[in-house]
Amino acid sequence: MAHAGQLTAARTPRPALADPVTMVRIAIIVGVLAFWEVLSRSGWLYRDVVPSLVAISKAVGELLIDKDYYWNLGWTGFEVAVALGIGGVGGLLAGLILGSNKLLGKSFEPYLYYLGPTPKIIFFPVMIMWFGIGPGSKIALGTISCFFPIALSTAAGMRQIKPVLISVGRTYRANAWQMMTKIYIPAMRHPIINGIRLGLGVAIIGTLLAETKLSNKGIGFLIINAYSTFDMPRMYALLIVLFVLSIGVNALVGRFGGLDKIKRS
Amino acid sequence: MAAIVQSFDSKASATPSSSDAIMRVEDISMRFSTPDGVLTAVDDVSFAVRPGEFLSVIGPSGCGKSTLFNVIGGLLGGYEGRVSVAGETITGPHASIGMVFQEESTFPWRTVVDNVAFPLELSGMAKAQRVERARHFIKLVGLDGFENRYPSELSGGMRQRVSMARTLAFEPKILLMDEPFAALDEQTRLLLGDKVLQIQQQLKQTTLLITHNITEAVQLSDRILVMTYRPGKIKRIVDIDLPRPRTSDIVSSEAFGRYVAQIWSDLREEASRGMSDDEKTRQGGHPR
Ligand SMILES: Nc1ncnc2c1ncn2[C@@H]1O[C@H](COP(=O)(O)OP(=O)(O)OP(=O)(O)O)[C@@H](O)[C@H]1O
Ligand SMILES: [Mg+2]
């Protein structure tokens, strides 16, 4: 009898809070915060390097009502968006060409593979010379950052398309444009979306890194500014807000194009 | 019933004159160069297809059936000979020919209705109209109620029916199918055969079916073209004088059994030739 009771209990969905995984996750966050607070009050580290949670929360609050912050956030967002636009379209086109042309694919791919994982920040001095210290050089760095993962995953995706799907398009006499938009690109949706996701990540990194190096606007500029004026609470507040924003944007890209509705093959 | 048999017989006995045929396959040969030399996959195959006819091509595995299918469908170049539809030589995929492939070929990112509407979408038909047409063909293959499902939510047999509906929606003069049910179990295959018979009798659709399944071929066909094993030539053409309309029940009739036995004896020769061929190459290739 008790056994039967146990079975039914296991089947009814438990409230989310009682779920052991959720519990452990909450415990991790609480643990980290507690550790942080102990560290900040202990005086072990140099004064203010680890500000208290109270100070950081206050700084976050101040940040969120700061006009200056939104203006700079707008610039960074703009730079990332333009970089992703240019690098994304360029990467997609390059991937489509390299994936469909064996000769070009074989010739170019080694370069892409070796350049792909190279930190693009090494090109920053060149970008500064070409595009100045304004948003131009940040966009350029973001663009070359996201070009590679998108081009590589598009080219790889192109080669994984089932040949029979291409035959189907040919027998219905689809023209080149229809083949591209109705067969190739949808058939490659998973590698393309993955490429865009990776590309977005490195575009954000590239842009922010460039902003912290040499710039006059953007979130990276604010962070490095807070750092050099030793406004630690503000710096941490910026990092936290940035972190949350990146997670949000990434989640958004995951749903991009109704990804979770489109069934896998 | 007798009347049906008679009318069918009179139709079947008429031999196709050159003007009568909807499609002609003339002296088709296809060679592939392989590391072991030139391989003749299809050797000098000729036949004609009459309008409204159900013609099957049967032969042992590796005899060149899919090669022939791809040549007729205009997907493969570099062959000798000529394929013509209503007198017009084909040079690539032709608007009169619709193909159903052996492999699973539905688009996983489209729902059933969007899959079936695909050829209509390519031709620029308005959305409301093409959805209505697609629904008609979905109903024809017995998938009504599944319009908004994705292929991943369907069984293998249902997916093959989606592919078939999609090609029927293309409204080809000639339906070309390459072992569309090869991956399915025998019972499903027979029931789908019923569906194909129903559709064929309803649409009077000219159909060319490639298969290596004798039961399927006899169940469905007006004529069966038996191919030899490598090089793929035509060994025999068998007229199937079984009454129509047919259902899968016909497989238990005596006449059906005779046809199956006749074709099996033809095919057994070829199949065993194929097997001993394989053994020879294996022994030759790897001497002990
Ligand atoms: N592209 C190709 N290059 C070289 N050889 C090929 C090619 N396509 C087919 N062949 C060869 O041609 C022969 C016929 O192949 P095909 O696929 O037409 O056979 P099939 O009758 O359809 O067989 P199955 O019933 O197993 O599908 C085989 O020996 C195959 O190895
Ligand atoms: Mg085949």
Side-chain angles (χ1 to χ4, degrees), chain B residues 61-62 64-67 69 102 178-179 210 212:
Chain B
S61 185
K65 301 183 299 292
S66 293
T67 307
F69 170 82
Q102 169 172 358
D178 186 7
E179 308 194 27
I210 309 258
H212 56 220

PDB file of all heavy atoms in Angstrom, chain B residues 61-62 64-67 69 102 178-179 210 212, ligand 2:
ATOM      1  N   SER B  61      18.909  -6.624 -57.319  1.00  0.00           N
ATOM      2  CA  SER B  61      19.637  -5.480 -56.771  1.00  0.00           C
ATOM      3  C   SER B  61      20.928  -5.244 -57.559  1.00  0.00           C
ATOM      4  O   SER B  61      21.649  -6.182 -57.868  1.00  0.00           O
ATOM      5  CB  SER B  61      19.965  -5.765 -55.305  1.00  0.00           C
ATOM      6  OG  SER B  61      20.558  -4.640 -54.736  1.00  0.00           O
ATOM      7  N   GLY B  62      21.186  -4.000 -57.905  1.00  0.00           N
ATOM      8  CA  GLY B  62      22.417  -3.665 -58.617  1.00  0.00           C
ATOM      9  C   GLY B  62      22.320  -3.815 -60.124  1.00  0.00           C
ATOM     10  O   GLY B  62      23.323  -3.702 -60.821  1.00  0.00           O
ATOM     11  N   GLY B  64      20.793  -1.867 -62.197  1.00  0.00           N
ATOM     12  CA  GLY B  64      20.746  -0.594 -62.914  1.00  0.00           C
ATOM     13  C   GLY B  64      19.381   0.072 -62.921  1.00  0.00           C
ATOM     14  O   GLY B  64      19.147   0.990 -63.704  1.00  0.00           O
ATOM     15  N   LYS B  65      18.494  -0.352 -62.032  1.00  0.00           N
ATOM     16  CA  LYS B  65      17.139   0.229 -62.024  1.00  0.00           C
ATOM     17  C   LYS B  65      17.163   1.703 -61.630  1.00  0.00           C
ATOM     18  O   LYS B  65      16.556   2.532 -62.286  1.00  0.00           O
ATOM     19  CB  LYS B  65      16.242  -0.540 -61.041  1.00  0.00           C
ATOM     20  CG  LYS B  65      16.101  -2.001 -61.358  1.00  0.00           C
ATOM     21  CD  LYS B  65      15.134  -2.693 -60.401  1.00  0.00           C
ATOM     22  CE  LYS B  65      15.563  -2.639 -58.942  1.00  0.00           C
ATOM     23  NZ  LYS B  65      16.766  -3.432 -58.648  1.00  0.00           N
ATOM     24  N   SER B  66      17.877   2.007 -60.559  1.00  0.00           N
ATOM     25  CA  SER B  66      17.912   3.414 -60.111  1.00  0.00           C
ATOM     26  C   SER B  66      18.620   4.283 -61.141  1.00  0.00           C
ATOM     27  O   SER B  66      18.267   5.454 -61.326  1.00  0.00           O
ATOM     28  CB  SER B  66      18.625   3.538 -58.770  1.00  0.00           C
ATOM     29  OG  SER B  66      17.866   2.914 -57.770  1.00  0.00           O
ATOM     30  N   THR B  67      19.630   3.713 -61.791  1.00  0.00           N
ATOM     31  CA  THR B  67      20.327   4.453 -62.833  1.00  0.00           C
ATOM     32  C   THR B  67      19.342   4.816 -63.939  1.00  0.00           C
ATOM     33  O   THR B  67      19.284   5.971 -64.385  1.00  0.00           O
ATOM     34  CB  THR B  67      21.485   3.608 -63.385  1.00  0.00           C
ATOM     35  OG1 THR B  67      22.288   3.179 -62.293  1.00  0.00           O
ATOM     36  CG2 THR B  67      22.323   4.396 -64.365  1.00  0.00           C
ATOM     37  N   PHE B  69      16.108   5.033 -63.664  1.00  0.00           N
ATOM     38  CA  PHE B  69      15.169   5.990 -63.056  1.00  0.00           C
ATOM     39  C   PHE B  69      15.717   7.414 -63.132  1.00  0.00           C
ATOM     40  O   PHE B  69      15.023   8.346 -63.534  1.00  0.00           O
ATOM     41  CB  PHE B  69      14.946   5.552 -61.604  1.00  0.00           C
ATOM     42  CG  PHE B  69      14.198   6.511 -60.715  1.00  0.00           C
ATOM     43  CD1 PHE B  69      12.820   6.571 -60.713  1.00  0.00           C
ATOM     44  CD2 PHE B  69      14.899   7.323 -59.820  1.00  0.00           C
ATOM     45  CE1 PHE B  69      12.143   7.422 -59.850  1.00  0.00           C
ATOM     46  CE2 PHE B  69      14.227   8.174 -58.951  1.00  0.00           C
ATOM     47  CZ  PHE B  69      12.846   8.227 -58.980  1.00  0.00           C
ATOM     48  N   GLN B 102      13.226   6.566 -53.542  1.00  0.00           N
ATOM     49  CA  GLN B 102      13.292   5.451 -52.604  1.00  0.00           C
ATOM     50  C   GLN B 102      13.585   5.945 -51.184  1.00  0.00           C
ATOM     51  O   GLN B 102      12.997   5.489 -50.219  1.00  0.00           O
ATOM     52  CB  GLN B 102      14.390   4.490 -53.072  1.00  0.00           C
ATOM     53  CG  GLN B 102      14.749   3.438 -52.056  1.00  0.00           C
ATOM     54  CD  GLN B 102      15.702   2.392 -52.618  1.00  0.00           C
ATOM     55  OE1 GLN B 102      16.068   2.431 -53.780  1.00  0.00           O
ATOM     56  NE2 GLN B 102      16.092   1.465 -51.789  1.00  0.00           N
ATOM     57  N   ASP B 178      10.730   5.110 -57.609  1.00  0.00           N
ATOM     58  CA  ASP B 178      11.848   4.179 -57.422  1.00  0.00           C
ATOM     59  C   ASP B 178      11.719   3.504 -56.060  1.00  0.00           C
ATOM     60  O   ASP B 178      12.027   4.109 -55.032  1.00  0.00           O
ATOM     61  CB  ASP B 178      13.185   4.926 -57.495  1.00  0.00           C
ATOM     62  CG  ASP B 178      14.378   3.977 -57.453  1.00  0.00           C
ATOM     63  OD1 ASP B 178      14.175   2.750 -57.493  1.00  0.00           O
ATOM     64  OD2 ASP B 178      15.519   4.473 -57.394  1.00  0.00           O
ATOM     65  N   GLU B 179      11.260   2.280 -56.074  1.00  0.00           N
ATOM     66  CA  GLU B 179      11.104   1.491 -54.839  1.00  0.00           C
ATOM     67  C   GLU B 179      10.605   2.336 -53.677  1.00  0.00           C
ATOM     68  O   GLU B 179      11.239   2.410 -52.630  1.00  0.00           O
ATOM     69  CB  GLU B 179      12.445   0.840 -54.457  1.00  0.00           C
ATOM     70  CG  GLU B 179      13.056   0.080 -55.596  1.00  0.00           C
ATOM     71  CD  GLU B 179      14.185  -0.835 -55.144  1.00  0.00           C
ATOM     72  OE1 GLU B 179      14.160  -1.261 -53.986  1.00  0.00           O
ATOM     73  OE2 GLU B 179      15.076  -1.121 -55.954  1.00  0.00           O
ATOM     74  N   ILE B 210       9.591   1.386 -60.257  1.00  0.00           N
ATOM     75  CA  ILE B 210      10.801   0.583 -60.173  1.00  0.00           C
ATOM     76  C   ILE B 210      10.720  -0.217 -58.887  1.00  0.00           C
ATOM     77  O   ILE B 210      10.384   0.342 -57.840  1.00  0.00           O
ATOM     78  CB  ILE B 210      12.035   1.497 -60.089  1.00  0.00           C
ATOM     79  CG1 ILE B 210      12.000   2.525 -61.193  1.00  0.00           C
ATOM     80  CG2 ILE B 210      13.307   0.691 -60.011  1.00  0.00           C
ATOM     81  CD1 ILE B 210      12.863   2.285 -62.338  1.00  0.00           C
ATOM     82  N   HIS B 212      11.977  -4.181 -56.694  1.00  0.00           N
ATOM     83  CA  HIS B 212      12.522  -5.522 -56.784  1.00  0.00           C
ATOM     84  C   HIS B 212      11.601  -6.506 -56.076  1.00  0.00           C
ATOM     85  O   HIS B 212      11.971  -7.616 -55.785  1.00  0.00           O
ATOM     86  CB  HIS B 212      13.966  -5.605 -56.277  1.00  0.00           C
ATOM     87  CG  HIS B 212      14.164  -5.131 -54.878  1.00  0.00           C
ATOM     88  ND1 HIS B 212      15.247  -4.393 -54.498  1.00  0.00           N
ATOM     89  CD2 HIS B 212      13.406  -5.259 -53.784  1.00  0.00           C
ATOM     90  CE1 HIS B 212      15.146  -4.107 -53.221  1.00  0.00           C
ATOM     91  NE2 HIS B 212      14.039  -4.619 -52.764  1.00  0.00           N
TER      92      HIS B 212
HETATM   93 MG    MG C   2      17.984   1.360 -56.644  1.00  0.00          MG
END
